[in-house]
Amino acid sequence: MWGGKRVSVVLMTYAERQSIRAVIERFFDTGIVDEVLVVNNNAEPGTAEEVERTRARQVFEPRQGYGHATRRGLVESSGDLVVLAEPDGTFLAEDISKLLVYSDECEAVLGTRTTRELIWQGANMKWFLRWGNWGVAKLVEVLFNTSHLSDVGCTYRLLRRELAEYVAANMTVGASHAGAEILLLTVTSGRRFVEVPVNYLPRVGDSSVTGKPLEALRLGLRMIALILRFRGRTPTRVPRPDALVGDRSVRSEDEHERIPL
């Protein structure tokens, strides 16, 4: 629970048999997570058995692709706050607290892996991927005149329930570049969002996409094409959330004098 809200973690799995059990247990060990939902997307043999050794709930999505699996996870999860993550060991479960802290003020909290100090030795974030993700994120920032973005490909994200349902209802991409579509739907929905740095670790096992430079390049090009198409069908003026309001204040040096924020 977080502030009286149930927290669900959604893990989409295909080639993470070696790491998924430990990742599930680390999320439960935080003491914050109420539910871990694993979306088995035609995963390698033995994966389902690894999940069954934990407290996680498992559903099976036969349509192959990150987008299809993510949409299923958003629909099937039960939490008020839905956290998307990876079961490959690249993210720290403990970083979920960074996302949750901002969930009180924002409908979406997006992780970024481009902070150099939080990229661990051996992580798959060499200059090409790091600057590629940064560059495509800046393309979104410029085209949609939105808040600061620095990593279009980070899949460690938090969505409030209402936004999770909105994203699931409007997703059209079933393949690996669906992460960019989730970002675009969030940006153009008018919801409040913020980006926070997260740790990025070496992957357990091999990635079927970003582990291969040519595949990573193709994924980046598909994201750019999606962004340009999305911009073409989006109204020129993207809606913005209203400014925060409230009665918070801070004390001046004189305890009795109140200065409104």
Side-chain angles (χ1 to χ4, degrees), residues 177-190:
H177 58 302
E181 185 182 39
I182 295 171
L183 172 62
L184 294 169
L185 288 169
T186 299
V187 166
T188 58
S189 70

Side-chain angles (χ1 to χ4, degrees), residues 133-205:
N133 276 289
W134 181 89
V136 179
K138 289 304 174 186
L139 177 66
V140 174
E141 186 177 328
V142 170
L143 290 181
F144 294 89
N145 188 29
T146 191
S147 300
H148 172 80
L149 292 170
S150 63
D151 187 358
V152 74
C154 184
T155 51
Y156 205 178
R157 295 166 168 171
L158 178 148
L159 305 176
R160 288 190 194 171
R161 167 53 54 191
E162 188 272 337
L163 179 56
E165 292 175 353
Y166 170 83
V167 169
N170 289 277
M171 286 181 68
T172 61
V173 176
S176 299
H177 58 302
E181 185 182 39
I182 295 171
L183 172 62
L184 294 169
L185 288 169
T186 299
V187 166
T188 58
S189 70
R191 272 74 164 186
R192 185 175 285 105
F193 69 90
V194 68
E195 192 180 63
V196 297
V198 295
N199 287 275
Y200 195 56
L201 284 66
R203 190 189 199 279
V204 177

Side-chain angles (χ1 to χ4, degrees), residues 113-117 119 124-136 150-152:
R113 307 158 298 167
T114 57
T115 303
R116 189 188 303 272
E117 290 77 6
I119 301 174
N124 185 26
M125 190 54 70
K126 296 180 180 179
W127 71 268
F128 177 76
L129 282 175
R130 180 166 173 258
W131 289 108
N133 276 289
W134 181 89
V136 179
S150 63
D151 187 358
V152 74

Side-chain angles (χ1 to χ4, degrees), residues 100-109 160 192-194 244 248:
L100 290 166
V101 163
Y102 286 95
S103 68
D104 295 334
E105 298 157 324
C106 298
E107 285 86 353
V109 187
R160 288 190 194 171
R192 185 175 285 105
F193 69 90
V194 68
L244 292 170
R248 295 171 58 198

Side-chain angles (χ1 to χ4, degrees), residues 222-244:
R222 294 180 78 180
M223 285 185 175
I224 292 172
L226 173 66
I227 291 165
L228 295 176
R229 290 197 305 270
F230 212 96
R231 176 67 273 186
R233 66 173 186 258
T234 301
T236 303
R237 187 175 181 82
V238 176
R240 294 283 178 268
D242 295 331
L244 292 170

